[in-house]
Amino acid sequence: WSLSLISPERDNSEPSSWTATPDGGTPGLSNNSTPPWTPEAALFLSGVSPNPAFDLITFRVSAAPGGQCVIRVFDLAGRVVAGPVDIILGPVLQSVSLEIEGLPPGVYFLHVSYAGLKRSSSFIKLAGAP
């Protein structure tokens, strides 16, 4: 038996990011014969609001035909500063809020991935309270 990474967007160091490969081991072959995406897959991410923000950001996102999405926030150096957060999305736009009050002031990138597709939107975190 061998293990297969569930999704390339997942953290390789987390045990929950791996699953047993179907039908035993696959030495010298790809672990999965089916790619994690389909030509019909679609991902939409609206801009972040409010922007700039103090403690909470909201965005609208949809994933078709639907399934698990991973949300992360990156700083300008490309480091993950929030997340990963796993959510289940469908093809209908859904409003999602994310607390950012623990982040220092600066420019950040909200990153959403689904079925091999990726979308990003930048936002500015301000110091203090509104």
Side-chain angles (χ1 to χ4, degrees):
W1 295 95
S2 61
L3 295 177
S4 177
L5 187 62
I6 294 171
S7 169
E9 289 84 27
R10 302 290 297 260
D11 182 356
N12 292 355
S13 66
E14 294 291 327
S16 62
S17 297
W18 296 87
T19 187
T21 55
D23 303 321
T26 53
L29 302 173
S30 173
N31 285 341
N32 292 322
S33 59
T34 307
W37 54 271
T38 64
E40 297 83 29
L43 177 62
F44 173 80
L45 172 64
S46 72
V48 174
S49 67
N51 193 6
F54 289 99
D55 56 359
L56 185 74
I57 58 172
T58 301
F59 52 95
R60 294 178 54 162
V61 64
S62 67
Q68 182 175 342
C69 294
V70 179
I71 300 172
R72 291 184 179 90
V73 175
F74 291 88
D75 64 11
L76 283 176
R79 297 177 295 229
V80 176
V81 295
V85 175
D86 293 333
I87 63 171
I88 304 297
L89 293 174
V92 177
L93 276 175
Q94 177 176 329
S95 182
V96 178
S97 295
L98 188 64
E99 290 186 19
I100 59 165
E101 67 182 337
L103 298 177
V107 177
Y108 295 93
F109 298 95
L110 173 72
H111 180 83
V112 180
S113 57
Y114 162 72
L117 302 172
K118 300 172 184 178
R119 301 289 181 265
S120 296
S121 184
S122 62
F123 67 93
I124 297 170
K125 163 65 163 81
L126 296 176

